[in-house]
Amino acid sequence: MLRRWVQHLKAAGFVVTVEETSNLQVVRKRLRVPADLAACHTAEVDGYVLEGHVPAVAVRRLLDKRPVAIGLAVPGMPAGSPGMEGGAPQPYDIVLFGASGRQTFMRAVGAEDVG
């Protein structure tokens, strides 16, 4: 899962460095990821946090718009999201979260923005 998500980001032009840890909870706490948004991996990009299978298109939009937020999360492991390919892709929300709360940043199916 992580490997395929990393490959997805690299294919989109991102430089990715993987640091394995045995205690991701400590990392999530330090980065202020809400427990109910936790997924299978956590990343940092240019001052933002990415939690779970966030597609590259959402990362690009985040970096272009630069909203006041902690980061983006894709809770759970939605079928068809980057790194979870296989089977029928399901629509899922990409959540923007921060001190002022959370909101849907965009919706996706697979790695594509659907609004």
Side-chain angles (χ1 to χ4, degrees):
M1 291 178 287
L2 173 63
R3 185 177 343 191
R4 289 186 299 195
W5 182 71
V6 167
Q7 289 170 345
H8 166 76
L9 291 178
K10 286 182 176 181
F14 289 98
V15 175
V16 180
T17 302
V18 176
E19 294 179 24
E20 302 270 344
T21 180
S22 61
N23 193 348
L24 199 50
Q25 296 298 358
V26 171
V27 174
R28 288 187 184 118
K29 184 175 181 175
R30 176 178 57 81
L31 296 175
R32 300 178 293 152
V33 175
D36 64 319
L37 295 180
C40 54
H41 45 75
T42 305
E44 295 177 89
V45 60
D46 202 17
Y48 289 103
V49 176
L50 305 175
E51 181 66 26
H53 295 267
V54 178
V57 65
V59 178
R60 287 261 183 248
R61 183 179 294 173
L62 176 72
L63 297 176
D64 287 345
K65 293 185 179 252
R66 308 271 333 152
V68 175
I70 294 171
L72 296 176
V74 174
M77 295 186 283
S81 62
M84 293 299 298
E85 296 86 355
Q90 300 297 312
Y92 60 96
D93 290 336
I94 297 139
V95 178
L96 181 74
F97 66 96
S100 61
R102 55 182 83 173
Q103 65 187 44
T104 299
F105 185 68
M106 64 186 277
R107 291 201 31 89
V109 173
E112 302 299 319
D113 176 11
V114 295

